[in-house]
Amino acid sequence: MTTGLIPGGQPPDPRPTGALPPQQRREQDGREHAKHVDDRPRSSVITARAAASFEPVGRSVATARGFVRDTLQGWGFADIIDDAVVLTSELVTNAVVHAGTHADLLCLRHEDAVRIEVADRYPEREIPLQGSLATMGSPDREGGRGLQLCAAIAARWGVEYTPTHKTVWFQLDLPDRPVGTRSAGPVLPADLLPLADSRVRVAVVQIDRTGAISAWNEDAEELFGYPADQVVGKPLTDLAAWPHTPGTSTGIVEALRLSRWEGSYGIRGADGRVIPVYASHLRVRDTGGDPSTVCLLVRDHERAVLQSPTRVPATDTGPADGQGADPFEVFIGSPAPDDLDGLLQRTVERARDMLDGDSAFLLLATDDETELEVRASTGLPSARQRFARVPVEAGPGRYGSARMPAVHEDLLAVPGAVPLLSGTGMRSVVTVPLKVEGRLTGSLGVAAEGPGRYSNEEALRLQFAADRIALAVESARLGELERLRRGSLSFLVEASDLLAGTLDRDQTLALMAQMTVPTLATWCAVYTIADQASEPYLSYVLHEDEELIDGIKSLLSKIAPPDPVPTPGARVWSAPGEVAHDAALRSSMRSLGLTGGPTHQMSSGIGPTLATASAVGGETVVLPLVARNRVIGMLTLGKPTDEHFRQEILELAEDLSRRAALALDNARLYSERTAISQSLQRSLLPPELPDIDGVEVEVIYRAAGEGNEVGGDFYDLFPIRDGAYGFAIGDVCGTGPHAAAVTGLARHALRLLAREGLSGPAVLERLNSAILDEGARSRFLTLLYGEMRPQADGSAELKVVCAGHPLPLRLRQDGTVEPAAEPQPLLGVMEDLELYEETITLDPGDVLLCVTDGVTERREGTRMLGDDGLADVLTTCTGLTAGAVAARIMRAVERFASDAPSDDMAILAMRVA
């Protein structure tokens, strides 16, 4: 094994190793080793270790940085995290990018130091052990930069070789601190201290391993309004109000998994309002070994209570002239922000200070490099400008393009040259591009209120700084974009599942709005178009603050809807903001008596007007809802005053609008088909049952299948002539619309033939012929048909024909049950039928029960209700009315099996009073 050790100090002899004999070379190596090795005691006791392996892909570098950061945070070594992450990043980059092999990362914790080893599997890529550090490369080159940083930052470092691996290691000593001291700040005057309420409340919330709240203290109750018993057991994500935008920053779920985390998010209080909080999370383990997270929360403006102070780099280390320092760290400072927004904000602040400007701004280019999006600014109304977009090529010449450095001595001489600064009072400005590998990735500018402040010299200084940070900005932007795309994919998958889960139009509209607010927009409105000849109709309005919904709905109802343009993509709609602004202006003038009327106190109506104007005062966009080559509506998304949409959010909204349009159109088609089907089915049902003197009649009918009102079973009761009534109950083979068609034929044919004065057998024989005439569409039919004539003595005479149908059952007053007819051939099978009529007399109190086979063939496993089971139930109905008999039979059928009925069922009960 070969080991090279360069612990620090002067660089070794630059002469190549091969210029000396082996023995002399070993002696010189020994002298160099003795000369440069630090004589501080080296800790040999390993108190903890953490290891990971990373694939040879670019994203592994970021993963390795996060692994080291989380490991050291968990060990409580925050002071050396930044140095360790920088060195690890360079060494892992050498392994996975340049060597193209897996990188094995090992973190070892000693009593007074941390040692980190990065091993690759390409050992022949040796480094010159006897060479000046100056020959390893400059900070602007890839080769050798990691070793330079190790020599400059680490207390010890070295390279070890084996036949299969090369390991580069470095050691960072832990700073000596008095017991109980972590960090301290200077003594400040009272007027410079952070402002807090009369009483600072620190909410202590404990989250278990599943993400649910397990502890909730009194300060949490006071801050958020929830008593402990209402929130314990609920996920913290149910209360977290942001971040909702997918992928824009570390989410609550991700933050709870980290060993330590600090940051801002919102908690939705009991009154529905969002309370911005600053949080400090600490991952702990209880005595049972289960992990949990302790969260300390304060109001965001009181973050100084919890926020860890920024580590100030030592000023007494390194060369006095700054040579050898990383230009990126020199400009940005240490530690560099981890997130893109923090990095951009630090960049504009340092750029402003570097050129002694009054404001600074940074814009990032869109994917097609045609527009720039405002992402950070200082000294400007950032809330008004954030995510606003300007074209890359504003005009001809170098002053009109963001691809070239530009100096404007006086913006009054060239109005509109820098649209971002219009109306801000800035007079002079210098802008430079951010480029990576010749590709425009952004633009950095510094402006001043006075004219003639900047020249080409300042442009060169700013361009140098832009070149230093361009790669870091682009890397952070790509990381954010990747997180956003992953979050967007999850969002779209969930949205598709929700939209596919309903065919109800109103519910689909509600889902569309709830998925966009507040994830994509602050408020939204959905317009629907019934047909090509109809005007867009405002169907749904939603705002994240429910108190503002009515105001926005009232405002939009007074505005002409946007044009239903089928062109894909979002287009800006300025009408809501303009109308709301005018209404607020008029209300304010009236309240001040400036419209010619008397001066009076501010009316109560101006508050909602101003609130509505603020709610819709930002950017509003319209996305068409196009389904099956037709515009069926528009999805309108809006932001509050002075806010703009990110391009990525608009692209995500466009994807959502396509899915929502198809779901909405499917719901419309389903509603139309359902309405048509129900209308046709109702035409097959008989009208109201006639009243028969001396006879109680009750019918229960259930069609199998969702949305079906008529199936293969049917019933009818109708007057034939004076004093005579026809009744029928039948069952067509099968269910659904085909069976319902035969049902309609049978029911209408029975009425027509019976009223012609034909006998029961003749009616059924002609119906049999009509069914057979249907050819391939014909279906066999079981039918019980009869004629009933009440008698003067209170009885009723019945003539019945039972063609293949379950036999009717007669219940006598003494509780006996017997069949009331004989079975005969069913209809729709044979042409020549020989049917006959049977006459029975029902005495007062007798009940005739007629059912279809959906009742008798009710099954639970291998058991079936059957004719005997039906008879047993009927014996318990003595003395009941016809309605009570039918209800008891249906209840017995439903209870016989736990599954929903799979066949149509009809029950006809007639009782002689």
Side-chain angles (χ1 to χ4, degrees):
M1 181 176 68
T2 303
T3 302
L5 181 62
I6 306 179
Q10 298 296 323
D13 193 335
R15 290 177 297 175
T17 304
L20 299 175
Q23 182 178 0
Q24 185 177 353
R25 183 167 66 250
R26 287 194 296 269
E27 292 174 356
Q28 178 169 334
D29 289 347
R31 289 194 302 271
E32 293 295 334
H33 186 278
K35 178 180 178 181
H36 299 297
V37 170
D38 196 335
D39 58 1
R40 290 179 294 177
R42 181 176 179 180
S43 174
S44 59
V45 179
I46 299 176
T47 59
R49 68 174 64 228
S53 183
F54 304 95
E55 298 180 354
V57 293
R59 63 175 180 274
S60 294
V61 179
T63 307
R65 288 198 297 264
F67 172 77
V68 171
R69 180 176 299 278
D70 289 344
T71 299
L72 297 187
Q73 281 181 335
W75 290 348
F77 297 159
D79 294 305
I80 62 172
I81 284 178
D82 299 310
D83 292 341
V85 168
V86 169
L87 298 182
T88 301
S89 178
E90 293 294 335
L91 298 181
V92 174
T93 299
N94 291 340
V96 302
V97 176
H98 302 306
T101 75
H102 283 73
D104 299 322
L105 181 60
L106 176 63
C107 301
L108 301 174
R109 184 180 72 183
H110 298 272
E111 294 176 347
D112 56 0
V114 170
R115 174 183 170 113
I116 297 179
E117 301 178 359
V118 179
D120 64 40
R121 305 172 189 179
Y122 194 62
E124 56 268 28
R125 299 182 72 254
E126 298 182 3
I127 64 170
L129 299 182
Q130 299 294 335
S132 172
L133 292 179
T135 64
M136 292 184 184
S138 68
D140 295 331
R141 300 182 57 189
E142 295 291 336
R145 183 169 64 183
L147 304 179
Q148 268 195 310
L149 291 176
C150 287
I153 297 176
R156 299 169 180 268
W157 73 281
V159 185
E160 299 177 354
Y161 291 94
T162 68
T164 58
H165 289 75
K166 181 191 73 179
T167 301
V168 182
W169 61 269
F170 63 87
Q171 179 174 308
L172 299 174
D173 292 334
L174 301 177
D176 294 329
R177 293 196 300 265
V179 175
T181 300
R182 172 180 172 84
S183 60
V187 177
L188 295 176
D191 56 348
L192 296 180
L193 295 176
L195 181 63
D197 292 342
S198 57
R199 175 181 176 183
V200 176
R201 296 189 181 274
V202 180
V204 181
V205 183
Q206 190 158 2
I207 312 299
D208 62 20
R209 65 187 307 166
T210 66
I213 298 172
S214 58
W216 183 267
N217 73 340
E218 293 182 359
D219 278 358
E221 295 184 11
E222 291 293 334
L223 281 176
F224 310 124
Y226 300 104
D229 56 357
Q230 286 188 9
V231 295
V232 170
K234 293 184 178 180
L236 179 62
T237 52
D238 288 356
L239 305 181
W242 71 73
H244 277 291
T245 305
T248 55
S249 60
T250 302
I252 299 299
V253 176
E254 293 83 356
L256 293 175
R257 295 196 187 105
L258 299 178
S259 58
R260 287 180 182 269
W261 183 83
E262 288 186 19
S264 298
Y265 50 87
I267 296 293
R268 191 175 298 279
D271 59 358
R273 298 187 180 276
V274 175
I275 303 170
V277 297
Y278 189 82
S280 176
H281 296 178
L282 175 64
R283 192 79 161 162
V284 297
R285 188 174 58 182
D286 60 21
T287 55
D290 292 331
S292 63
T293 302
V294 177
C295 306
L296 305 182
L297 310 174
V298 297
R299 296 182 181 92
D300 192 62
H301 66 274
E302 298 171 348
R303 63 168 57 198
V305 176
L306 298 180
Q307 190 170 26
S308 298
T310 304
R311 184 169 67 92
V312 180
T315 57
D316 57 351
T317 59
D321 57 1
Q323 294 181 358
D326 190 343
F328 172 76
E329 293 291 341
V330 170
F331 181 69
I332 293 297
S334 179
D338 294 329
D339 60 307
L340 176 61
D341 290 337
L343 177 61
L344 299 183
Q345 191 62 36
R346 180 82 64 86
T347 298
V348 296
E349 291 171 357
R350 294 300 171 89
R352 178 198 60 188
D353 297 341
M354 183 179 70
L355 298 187
D356 193 23
D358 297 312
S359 63
F361 52 89
L362 192 149
L363 303 88
L364 295 183
T366 55
D367 291 339
D368 56 5
E369 298 183 27
T370 60
E371 288 185 313
L372 294 169
E373 191 175 60
V374 180
R375 292 300 302 271
S377 64
T378 182
L380 296 174
S382 57
R384 176 171 63 87
Q385 303 292 351
R386 186 165 171 77
F387 300 124
R389 290 174 294 280
V390 297
V392 170
E393 305 291 345
R398 66 185 296 267
Y399 291 104
S401 173
R403 302 182 188 276
M404 299 290 292
V407 177
H408 296 278
E409 296 182 352
D410 193 349
L411 290 177
L412 295 181
V414 281
V418 184
L420 183 63
L421 300 179
S422 299
T424 61
M426 300 297 159
R427 296 284 297 276
S428 54
V429 61
V430 53
T431 60
V432 297
L434 275 67
K435 293 185 177 181
V436 175
E437 297 179 351
R439 182 172 58 87
L440 179 69
T441 60
S443 177
L444 177 64
V446 178
E449 295 179 353
R453 290 279 298 274
Y454 302 117
S455 63
N456 287 340
E457 180 180 353
E458 283 79 11
L460 290 176
R461 291 177 60 196
L462 190 61
Q463 185 67 70
F464 179 81
D467 293 341
R468 301 282 76 77
I469 59 99
L471 185 60
V473 169
E474 179 65 5
S475 177
R477 188 188 75 86
L478 292 176
E480 181 195 64
L481 186 61
E482 179 63 23
R483 291 192 300 272
L484 178 62
R485 286 174 176 168
R486 289 199 301 266
S488 299
L489 182 60
S490 300
F491 172 77
L492 290 175
V493 169
E494 182 179 358
S496 299
D497 289 343
L498 290 173
L499 291 171
T502 178
L503 287 172
D504 182 81
R505 176 182 176 276
D506 293 337
Q507 188 174 359
T508 302
L509 290 172
L511 283 174
M512 290 170 57
Q514 292 167 6
M515 285 185 293
T516 57
V517 176
T519 305
L520 305 181
T522 306
W523 65 272
C524 85
V526 183
Y527 290 86
T528 57
I529 303 175
D531 50 60
Q532 296 181 351
S534 302
E535 292 293 327
Y537 174 75
L538 182 61
S539 298
Y540 203 93
V541 177
L542 184 65
H543 191 282
E544 62 180 5
D545 186 349
E546 295 182 357
E547 296 180 356
L548 297 176
I549 294 177
D550 292 338
I552 297 177
K553 186 181 299 184
S554 176
L555 173 70
L556 295 178
S557 63
K558 302 174 183 176
I559 304 174
D563 296 331
V565 179
T567 305
R571 70 182 190 275
V572 177
W573 186 31
S574 59
E578 294 173 353
V579 173
H581 178 269
D582 292 342
L585 181 60
R586 289 193 301 270
S587 297
S588 299
M589 293 178 66
R590 283 196 301 269
S591 67
L592 298 174
L594 300 179
T595 58
T599 303
H600 54 82
Q601 297 294 327
M602 183 172 293
S603 64
S604 60
I606 190 174
T609 302
L610 295 177
T612 301
S614 176
V616 302
E619 188 175 34
T620 301
V621 297
V622 177
L623 297 104
L625 298 175
V626 181
R628 298 175 176 89
N629 299 320
R630 187 176 73 87
V631 180
I632 64 171
M634 286 89 68
L635 177 63
T636 304
L637 306 179
K639 287 282 189 178
T641 300
D642 299 334
E643 289 194 19
H644 295 76
F645 286 98
R646 297 184 58 179
Q647 185 63 34
E648 293 85 354
I649 296 300
L650 293 180
E651 293 173 358
L652 179 58
E654 185 178 357
D655 285 339
L656 176 63
S657 68
R658 286 195 291 267
R659 290 165 170 79
L662 188 59
L664 184 60
D665 198 47
N666 288 340
R668 177 188 63 83
L669 293 174
Y670 178 78
S671 299
E672 291 178 356
R673 300 298 188 274
T674 301
I676 294 172
S677 174
Q678 291 176 348
S679 177
L680 292 175
Q681 290 185 64
R682 292 190 188 103
S683 68
L684 300 178
L685 293 175
E688 294 182 359
L689 298 178
D691 293 329
I692 304 176
D693 292 336
V695 179
E696 299 174 358
V697 179
E698 183 64 29
V699 174
I700 296 179
Y701 181 79
R702 300 281 175 84
E706 183 180 358
N708 291 333
E709 295 189 21
V710 175
D713 292 5
F714 68 95
Y715 68 92
D716 203 357
L717 179 64
F718 54 92
I720 299 176
R721 50 190 172 268
D722 294 340
Y725 296 86
F727 65 92
I729 184 169
D731 184 2
V732 178
C733 174
T735 60
H738 296 292
V742 179
T743 295
L745 170 65
R747 193 177 68 80
H748 290 293
L750 282 175
R751 287 195 171 213
L752 180 64
L753 295 172
R755 287 170 177 172
E756 290 294 323
L758 299 176
S759 64
V763 169
L764 268 59
E765 289 170 2
R766 284 167 174 75
L767 175 60
N768 181 62
S769 300
I771 294 174
L772 293 176
D773 289 342
E774 290 292 310
R777 296 180 298 176
S778 65
R779 292 170 176 261
F780 61 82
L781 168 68
T782 68
L783 180 64
L784 172 65
Y785 173 74
E787 294 181 3
M788 178 175 58
R789 186 183 298 273
Q791 302 298 312
D793 59 358
S795 63
E797 182 183 74
L798 282 72
K799 297 180 179 180
V800 298
V801 181
C802 186
H805 197 78
L807 300 180
L809 298 178
R810 177 181 182 177
L811 172 64
R812 296 183 181 274
Q813 287 183 320
D814 59 1
T816 59
V817 175
E818 60 184 5
E822 296 292 334
Q824 301 183 55
L826 71 163
L827 308 182
V829 178
M830 302 179 295
E831 291 186 1
D832 297 328
L833 289 180
E834 294 184 1
L835 302 175
Y836 57 91
E837 209 170 45
E838 299 178 74
T839 302
I840 60 174
T841 299
L842 295 181
D843 297 326
D846 289 355
V847 175
L848 184 70
L849 176 67
C850 309
V851 301
T852 58
D853 61 5
V855 174
T856 57
E857 294 180 2
R858 177 73 163 148
R859 294 180 181 272
E860 173 68 19
T862 59
R863 297 187 307 119
M864 186 172 71
L865 180 62
D867 297 332
D868 294 338
L870 179 62
D872 292 340
V873 176
L874 186 58
T875 58
T876 65
C877 298
T878 304
L880 298 181
T881 63
V885 171
R888 178 169 293 187
I889 297 298
M890 177 56 71
R891 186 163 56 251
V893 171
E894 291 174 342
R895 292 178 177 177
F896 186 80
S898 58
D899 296 337
S902 59
D903 195 4
D904 304 327
M905 291 187 295
I907 300 174
L908 172 62
M910 295 182 291
R911 177 179 179 272
V912 179

mmCIF file of all heavy atoms in Angstrom, residues 338-356:
data_model
loop_
_atom_site.group_PDB
_atom_site.id
_atom_site.type_symbol
_atom_site.label_atom_id
_atom_site.label_comp_id
_atom_site.label_asym_id
_atom_site.label_seq_id
_atom_site.Cartn_x
_atom_site.Cartn_y
_atom_site.Cartn_z
ATOM 1 N N ASP A 338 -27.771 26.801 1.071
ATOM 2 C CA ASP A 338 -28.029 25.513 0.441
ATOM 3 C C ASP A 338 -29.121 25.593 -0.621
ATOM 4 O O ASP A 338 -29.095 24.864 -1.598
ATOM 5 C CB ASP A 338 -28.442 24.480 1.501
ATOM 6 C CG ASP A 338 -27.304 24.171 2.465
ATOM 7 O OD1 ASP A 338 -26.150 24.253 2.022
ATOM 8 O OD2 ASP A 338 -27.578 23.870 3.636
ATOM 9 N N ASP A 339 -30.100 26.476 -0.426
ATOM 10 C CA ASP A 339 -31.232 26.515 -1.347
ATOM 11 C C ASP A 339 -31.011 27.580 -2.397
ATOM 12 O O ASP A 339 -30.234 28.535 -2.216
ATOM 13 C CB ASP A 339 -32.527 26.798 -0.588
ATOM 14 C CG ASP A 339 -32.472 28.133 0.139
ATOM 15 O OD1 ASP A 339 -31.492 28.341 0.901
ATOM 16 O OD2 ASP A 339 -33.371 28.966 -0.048
ATOM 17 N N LEU A 340 -31.710 27.449 -3.525
ATOM 18 C CA LEU A 340 -31.531 28.367 -4.642
ATOM 19 C C LEU A 340 -31.952 29.781 -4.270
ATOM 20 O O LEU A 340 -31.237 30.741 -4.569
ATOM 21 C CB LEU A 340 -32.339 27.871 -5.844
ATOM 22 C CG LEU A 340 -32.322 28.781 -7.075
ATOM 23 C CD1 LEU A 340 -30.912 28.943 -7.613
ATOM 24 C CD2 LEU A 340 -33.244 28.237 -8.158
ATOM 25 N N ASP A 341 -33.095 29.942 -3.640
ATOM 26 C CA ASP A 341 -33.551 31.291 -3.302
ATOM 27 C C ASP A 341 -32.574 31.988 -2.370
ATOM 28 O O ASP A 341 -32.301 33.187 -2.526
ATOM 29 C CB ASP A 341 -34.940 31.226 -2.661
ATOM 30 C CG ASP A 341 -36.021 30.841 -3.660
ATOM 31 O OD1 ASP A 341 -35.798 31.057 -4.863
ATOM 32 O OD2 ASP A 341 -37.072 30.319 -3.240
ATOM 33 N N GLY A 342 -32.054 31.258 -1.397
ATOM 34 C CA GLY A 342 -31.064 31.861 -0.505
ATOM 35 C C GLY A 342 -29.800 32.255 -1.231
ATOM 36 O O GLY A 342 -29.206 33.308 -0.962
ATOM 37 N N LEU A 343 -29.345 31.408 -2.153
ATOM 38 C CA LEU A 343 -28.142 31.716 -2.926
ATOM 39 C C LEU A 343 -28.358 32.950 -3.798
ATOM 40 O O LEU A 343 -27.489 33.830 -3.884
ATOM 41 C CB LEU A 343 -27.777 30.508 -3.793
ATOM 42 C CG LEU A 343 -26.580 30.684 -4.738
ATOM 43 C CD1 LEU A 343 -25.316 30.991 -3.961
ATOM 44 C CD2 LEU A 343 -26.393 29.441 -5.601
ATOM 45 N N LEU A 344 -29.504 33.042 -4.445
ATOM 46 C CA LEU A 344 -29.772 34.192 -5.309
ATOM 47 C C LEU A 344 -29.888 35.474 -4.491
ATOM 48 O O LEU A 344 -29.394 36.530 -4.906
ATOM 49 C CB LEU A 344 -31.057 33.955 -6.103
ATOM 50 C CG LEU A 344 -31.060 32.751 -7.045
ATOM 51 C CD1 LEU A 344 -32.368 32.682 -7.814
ATOM 52 C CD2 LEU A 344 -29.893 32.812 -8.015
ATOM 53 N N GLN A 345 -30.550 35.393 -3.333
ATOM 54 C CA GLN A 345 -30.683 36.587 -2.508
ATOM 55 C C GLN A 345 -29.332 37.047 -1.989
ATOM 56 O O GLN A 345 -29.033 38.245 -1.973
ATOM 57 C CB GLN A 345 -31.641 36.301 -1.351
ATOM 58 C CG GLN A 345 -32.079 37.543 -0.574
ATOM 59 C CD GLN A 345 -32.835 38.532 -1.445
ATOM 60 O OE1 GLN A 345 -33.587 38.154 -2.333
ATOM 61 N NE2 GLN A 345 -32.610 39.814 -1.190
ATOM 62 N N ARG A 346 -28.473 36.108 -1.565
ATOM 63 C CA ARG A 346 -27.125 36.474 -1.124
ATOM 64 C C ARG A 346 -26.341 37.081 -2.282
ATOM 65 O O ARG A 346 -25.574 38.031 -2.083
ATOM 66 C CB ARG A 346 -26.414 35.224 -0.596
ATOM 67 C CG ARG A 346 -24.995 35.450 -0.094
ATOM 68 C CD ARG A 346 -24.972 35.973 1.329
ATOM 69 N NE ARG A 346 -25.525 34.984 2.235
ATOM 70 C CZ ARG A 346 -24.804 34.000 2.783
ATOM 71 N NH1 ARG A 346 -23.523 33.865 2.487
ATOM 72 N NH2 ARG A 346 -25.369 33.161 3.629
ATOM 73 N N THR A 347 -26.550 36.582 -3.485
ATOM 74 C CA THR A 347 -25.823 37.094 -4.646
ATOM 75 C C THR A 347 -26.161 38.556 -4.920
ATOM 76 O O THR A 347 -25.268 39.389 -5.132
ATOM 77 C CB THR A 347 -26.142 36.238 -5.882
ATOM 78 O OG1 THR A 347 -25.703 34.888 -5.652
ATOM 79 C CG2 THR A 347 -25.446 36.782 -7.109
ATOM 80 N N VAL A 348 -27.464 38.886 -4.943
ATOM 81 C CA VAL A 348 -27.831 40.265 -5.260
ATOM 82 C C VAL A 348 -27.381 41.211 -4.146
ATOM 83 O O VAL A 348 -26.987 42.365 -4.427
ATOM 84 C CB VAL A 348 -29.344 40.390 -5.521
ATOM 85 C CG1 VAL A 348 -29.738 39.599 -6.744
ATOM 86 C CG2 VAL A 348 -30.166 39.953 -4.317
ATOM 87 N N GLU A 349 -27.402 40.754 -2.904
ATOM 88 C CA GLU A 349 -26.951 41.625 -1.815
ATOM 89 C C GLU A 349 -25.457 41.891 -1.913
ATOM 90 O O GLU A 349 -25.005 43.031 -1.729
ATOM 91 C CB GLU A 349 -27.298 40.977 -0.472
ATOM 92 C CG GLU A 349 -28.795 40.928 -0.190
ATOM 93 C CD GLU A 349 -29.125 40.101 1.030
ATOM 94 O OE1 GLU A 349 -28.186 39.517 1.610
ATOM 95 O OE2 GLU A 349 -30.316 40.030 1.412
ATOM 96 N N ARG A 350 -24.646 40.855 -2.230
ATOM 97 C CA ARG A 350 -23.206 41.054 -2.367
ATOM 98 C C ARG A 350 -22.888 41.894 -3.599
ATOM 99 O O ARG A 350 -21.960 42.706 -3.575
ATOM 100 C CB ARG A 350 -22.512 39.696 -2.440
ATOM 101 C CG ARG A 350 -22.614 38.881 -1.162
ATOM 102 C CD ARG A 350 -21.985 39.622 0.017
ATOM 103 N NE ARG A 350 -22.248 38.986 1.285
ATOM 104 C CZ ARG A 350 -21.470 38.046 1.825
ATOM 105 N NH1 ARG A 350 -20.385 37.652 1.182
ATOM 106 N NH2 ARG A 350 -21.769 37.526 2.992
ATOM 107 N N ALA A 351 -23.637 41.699 -4.682
ATOM 108 C CA ALA A 351 -23.399 42.507 -5.885
ATOM 109 C C ALA A 351 -23.710 43.973 -5.621
ATOM 110 O O ALA A 351 -22.966 44.873 -6.056
ATOM 111 C CB ALA A 351 -24.245 41.977 -7.035
ATOM 112 N N ARG A 352 -24.797 44.240 -4.924
ATOM 113 C CA ARG A 352 -25.131 45.630 -4.591
ATOM 114 C C ARG A 352 -24.047 46.260 -3.732
ATOM 115 O O ARG A 352 -23.614 47.400 -3.979
ATOM 116 C CB ARG A 352 -26.470 45.664 -3.863
ATOM 117 C CG ARG A 352 -26.916 47.047 -3.409
ATOM 118 C CD ARG A 352 -27.990 46.954 -2.352
ATOM 119 N NE ARG A 352 -27.495 46.219 -1.178
ATOM 120 C CZ ARG A 352 -28.250 45.857 -0.157
ATOM 121 N NH1 ARG A 352 -29.541 46.130 -0.161
ATOM 122 N NH2 ARG A 352 -27.732 45.191 0.876
ATOM 123 N N ASP A 353 -23.585 45.518 -2.724
ATOM 124 C CA ASP A 353 -22.554 46.071 -1.849
ATOM 125 C C ASP A 353 -21.235 46.245 -2.578
ATOM 126 O O ASP A 353 -20.491 47.207 -2.318
ATOM 127 C CB ASP A 353 -22.370 45.160 -0.635
ATOM 128 C CG ASP A 353 -23.635 45.080 0.220
ATOM 129 O OD1 ASP A 353 -24.491 45.968 0.078
ATOM 130 O OD2 ASP A 353 -23.759 44.106 0.992
ATOM 131 N N MET A 354 -20.915 45.330 -3.490
ATOM 132 C CA MET A 354 -19.634 45.391 -4.191
ATOM 133 C C MET A 354 -19.525 46.649 -5.036
ATOM 134 O O MET A 354 -18.472 47.286 -5.119
ATOM 135 C CB MET A 354 -19.471 44.149 -5.065
ATOM 136 C CG MET A 354 -18.120 44.065 -5.789
ATOM 137 S SD MET A 354 -17.986 42.568 -6.779
ATOM 138 C CE MET A 354 -19.153 42.915 -8.083
ATOM 139 N N LEU A 355 -20.618 47.049 -5.680
ATOM 140 C CA LEU A 355 -20.603 48.237 -6.547
ATOM 141 C C LEU A 355 -21.231 49.446 -5.859
ATOM 142 O O LEU A 355 -21.473 50.466 -6.527
ATOM 143 C CB LEU A 355 -21.337 47.942 -7.854
ATOM 144 C CG LEU A 355 -20.744 46.846 -8.737
ATOM 145 C CD1 LEU A 355 -21.482 46.787 -10.077
ATOM 146 C CD2 LEU A 355 -19.255 47.053 -8.962
ATOM 147 N N ASP A 356 -21.496 49.336 -4.552
ATOM 148 C CA ASP A 356 -22.069 50.451 -3.794
ATOM 149 C C ASP A 356 -23.330 50.973 -4.478
ATOM 150 O O ASP A 356 -23.512 52.181 -4.664
ATOM 151 C CB ASP A 356 -21.034 51.583 -3.655
ATOM 152 C CG ASP A 356 -21.470 52.616 -2.615
ATOM 153 O OD1 ASP A 356 -22.287 52.252 -1.740
ATOM 154 O OD2 ASP A 356 -21.019 53.775 -2.713
#
